[in-house]
Amino acid sequence: MSTNRRQFIKATAAGAVAASLPLGASADGHESEQRPLEILVLGGTGFIGPHMVREALRRGHGVTLFNRGRTNNTLFPDLETIIGDRADNLTGLEGRKWDVVVDNSGYMHHDVRASARLLAPNVEHYIFISSISAYESMAAPMYEDSPLAALEDESITEFDWSLYGALKAVSERVVGEEMGEDRTTILRPTYIVGPGDHTDRFTYWPVRVRQGGRMLCPGSPEHPIQVIDVRDLANFTIDTVERRTTGAFNTTIPIGSYNMGQVLEDSQAVLATTVDPVWANDEFVMQQQLMGALPIYHPITGDYSHASSASAERALAAGMHNRPVRETIRDLMTWWDTLSEERHANARFRMTAEREAELIAEWESLT
Ligand SMILES: NC(=O)c1ccc[n+]([C@@H]2O[C@H](COP(=O)([O-])OP(=O)(O)OC[C@H]3O[C@@H](n4cnc5c(N)ncnc54)[C@H](OP(=O)(O)O)[C@@H]3O)[C@@H](O)[C@H]2O)c1
């Protein structure tokens, strides 16, 4: 049989739906010519899930959601949502088949094992969204084969944020154990940013830049920052679905490609505003315990000295594409401006003008 005839039969076997679908194109220009896949998303209605769902639908795939029905439950009325709690009720997933599962709501290793074990006979591929927090140390650059965090007591049943990274590391391992490494993909993002980011961390910076005036900034303009645009993560995830790429990948912008000075520069550019930055060194920031108040920044000494040194090489080689961070800031702020005044007032990170002025005065008294 000729290749063309075989291709034709393959295409028509995929059915009328497939025939009417436009070809999807991934971020690196790769045309998807395959049959539509059936994708199960565990937790598709939070921050990153909806971007993945929309990208999958845009490329012509079918998506089923699994969640408790508590978060943004009117987002995808046209999709099947299986209601359940991954902690204790997976019955809706029993006896169902999908091509691939994208697990973006796994925090407890027991829950992840339960879903992976139940789905292993019924899905071909399991994609687990982990984090660079899964690495044992951020005091050295993070490569995919760097040591992972250990969980001292794997019998724990309560989630604890201080164990987030170790729980992710164990969760990664259990997916591999249940599915087999050759059917498992682990994605380890740095800070995920962009429209819909409910953590308000990266958002602090452009929001603060828009206020103008003298602005307290940590470290120096050269201070490295690593993020990934949620849409770039979504694109790469769906590429991974389509290409059946397995293994572990850090998902982020390349090491050294962005810094705090550029956050300010890009924010000022897209917001058409100017600030007068006052750079306070790491020591001052630590001494004033501002680590939490000035989000996404980590001092370049000590335990987090390489928190912005996760290698993106492997994912880039596998087709990940990163848009300019300026575009992320532009779209993030467009989304932010759609939110209510109350939501703005209750942003998770904000510093009063008085507090900022006090800190600047304190810093300047030392220099
Ligand atoms: N944000 C970052 O910068 C960052 C960085 C690295 C890695 N990550 C990883 O990215 C992933 C996604 O984060 P996200 O903020 O988009 O989502 P999320 O808030 O972790 O998850 C929300 C989604 O999961 C569902 N869900 C939550 N608990 C559930 C449960 N017990 N049973 C069933 N469904 C449940 C929610 O729906 P219902 O409430 O309706 O159940 C919703 O659809 C996480 O795995 C996180 O570790 C995030």
Side-chain angles (χ1 to χ4, degrees):
M1 194 190 304
S2 74
T3 308
N4 280 347
R5 170 125 176 90
R6 235 182 278 127
Q7 280 170 345
F8 175 77
I9 289 174
K10 214 170 140 194
T12 49
V17 178
S20 65
L21 285 171
L23 286 179
S26 66
D28 65 352
H30 158 89
E31 288 291 327
S32 158
E33 294 181 31
Q34 57 179 56
R35 69 184 170 93
L37 296 168
E38 284 304 323
I39 306 172
L40 169 66
V41 179
L42 302 181
T45 59
F47 164 36
I48 71 173
H51 292 279
M52 293 175 177
V53 171
R54 287 193 196 101
E55 183 57 23
L57 296 174
R58 188 186 72 79
R59 297 195 204 178
H61 302 300
V63 177
T64 307
L65 304 174
F66 175 86
N67 54 56
R68 297 164 302 177
R70 292 188 198 166
T71 307
N72 298 322
N73 62 1
T74 54
L75 212 51
F76 299 110
D78 55 329
L79 300 184
E80 180 191 4
T81 299
I82 300 175
I83 298 293
D85 188 326
R86 52 185 310 168
D88 56 17
N89 177 14
L90 300 177
T91 47
L93 300 177
E94 285 170 10
R96 296 281 306 268
K97 286 193 184 291
W98 290 272
D99 293 298
V100 55
V101 53
V102 177
D103 181 350
N104 61 33
S105 56
Y107 293 89
M108 283 301 289
H109 56 308
H110 304 300
D111 302 349
V112 174
R113 187 183 294 285
S115 56
R117 182 166 291 176
L118 187 147
L119 291 166
N122 292 332
V123 300
E124 289 163 30
H125 183 190
Y126 199 116
I127 299 174
F128 180 69
I129 307 299
S130 183
S131 163
I132 58 154
S133 301
Y135 289 110
E136 179 184 76
S137 168
M138 289 192 178
M142 292 167 277
Y143 295 91
E144 284 81 353
D145 49 6
S146 297
L148 297 182
L151 184 63
E152 226 165 75
D153 176 9
E154 292 196 14
S155 68
I156 61 157
T157 51
E158 287 297 314
F159 178 74
D160 177 344
W161 275 110
S162 71
L163 298 174
Y164 169 69
L167 288 164
K168 281 288 195 190
V170 179
S171 298
E172 292 186 6
R173 193 195 75 217
V174 305
V175 175
E177 285 169 1
E178 298 297 333
M179 289 293 296
E181 300 293 339
D182 59 336
R183 299 196 298 153
T184 299
T185 306
I186 304 295
L187 301 184
R188 298 186 188 130
T190 53
Y191 289 108
I192 306 170
V193 301
D197 180 2
H198 53 65
T199 70
D200 300 347
R201 292 176 296 198
F202 184 73
T203 317
Y204 172 85
W205 297 104
V207 166
R208 173 60 191 87
V209 164
R210 183 145 68 183
Q211 289 163 10
R214 302 194 80 202
M215 175 174 169
L216 181 69
C217 299
S220 69
E222 293 74 39
H223 201 96
I225 295 295
Q226 263 189 321
V227 293
I228 180 153
D229 187 294
V230 63
R231 295 153 305 172
D232 295 335
L233 175 62
N235 284 334
F236 185 60
T237 305
I238 305 305
D239 288 351
T240 305
V241 165
E242 292 181 341
R243 299 172 189 177
R244 204 55 64 81
T245 316
T246 57
F249 298 88
N250 293 335
T251 48
T252 184
I253 55 174
I255 295 175
S257 65
Y258 204 65
N259 58 39
M260 277 304 301
Q262 287 166 293
V263 175
L264 260 59
E265 194 183 304
D266 285 342
S267 299
Q268 290 176 97
V270 302
L271 297 166
T273 186
T274 52
V275 283
D276 178 10
V278 178
W279 296 97
N281 68 16
D282 285 352
E283 205 184 349
F284 179 80
V285 174
M286 294 289 281
Q287 189 189 45
Q288 296 289 333
Q289 301 185 327
L290 294 173
M291 283 269 297
L294 299 173
I296 75 160
Y297 151 88
H298 299 278
I300 48 175
T301 52
D303 289 352
Y304 294 97
S305 55
H306 285 79
S308 296
S309 304
S311 169
E313 294 300 316
R314 193 185 281 180
L316 289 169
M320 180 183 68
H321 172 83
N322 293 306
R323 74 196 64 206
V325 182
R326 183 174 292 196
E327 291 313 306
T328 304
I329 296 176
R330 194 190 307 280
D331 298 341
L332 170 66
M333 292 307 284
T334 302
W335 165 77
W336 180 254
D337 289 343
T338 66
L339 304 181
S340 67
E341 273 180 34
E342 192 192 351
R343 173 69 178 80
H344 288 175
N346 290 317
R348 286 189 170 83
F349 295 92
R350 56 192 189 282
M351 192 183 284
T352 63
E354 295 73 30
R355 173 80 177 128
E356 191 174 17
E358 250 173 51
L359 286 165
I360 289 176
E362 176 74 22
W363 164 248
E364 289 183 333
S365 74
L366 300 171
T367 50

